[in-house]
Amino acid sequence: PRDMATGTTLFVAIRTLGGSIGLAVFQTVQQNKLATLVAELTRQYPQYEKLIARAVDNQATIRASDVPPELTQALIGAYVVALRSVFYASIPFAAMIIVLGLCTRYIPLRTRMAKTVED
């Protein structure tokens, strides 16, 4: 209990740092996978190369009226597959967290409060 403030501060700092690193890693995984899928789409639909490039820069244009329905579905599918790769990349981190959590010793933080006023 006497080190509760230090422990809480350390927990928040590590959690913030982990979130920042995780965001960077998972964003890189998604962008790399998406770049591969967009290159495939550009080869598959060469007549829509400019639309595909515009949709990568601004995802709202995927639903624009000038984008054909088959290209809309292909672009959405590419984003789904890219996002799925992020979840696959998170599996080793989740396994590591579970193992480390099982190795952590439990320390109770609450103690019995002493009575200060007699009844």
Side-chain angles (χ1 to χ4, degrees), residues 9-28:
T9 303
L10 183 64
F11 171 75
V12 170
I14 290 174
R15 185 175 176 182
T16 303
L17 181 64
S20 300
I21 292 171
L23 178 65
V25 168
F26 295 141
Q27 182 68 22
T28 302

Side-chain angles (χ1 to χ4, degrees), residues 13-82:
I14 290 174
R15 185 175 176 182
T16 303
L17 181 64
S20 300
I21 292 171
L23 178 65
V25 168
F26 295 141
Q27 182 68 22
T28 302
V29 168
Q30 182 182 15
Q31 290 302 320
N32 287 339
K33 183 65 173 178
L34 188 62
T36 304
L37 295 171
V38 166
E40 290 176 19
L41 283 178
T42 304
R43 283 192 300 276
Q44 188 176 357
Y45 300 102
Q47 67 274 25
Y48 300 126
E49 184 175 356
K50 289 182 181 178
L51 286 175
I52 293 170
R54 194 177 76 194
V56 170
D57 289 338
N58 182 5
Q59 292 81 27
T61 60
I62 293 174
R63 296 284 188 180
S65 60
D66 60 337
V67 179
E70 66 272 5
L71 183 60
T72 298
Q73 291 303 316
L75 285 166
I76 291 171
Y79 275 95
V80 167
V81 170

Side-chain angles (χ1 to χ4, degrees), residues 94-111:
M96 181 180 66
I97 289 169
I98 290 171
V99 169
L100 290 175
L102 292 173
C103 295
T104 304
R105 184 172 55 113
Y106 174 72
I107 301 172
L109 296 178
R110 292 187 179 232
T111 59

Side-chain angles (χ1 to χ4, degrees), residues 79-98:
Y79 275 95
V80 167
V81 170
L83 186 60
R84 188 178 299 143
S85 67
V86 171
F87 285 102
Y88 291 150
S90 70
I91 291 172
F93 293 103
M96 181 180 66
I97 289 169
I98 290 171

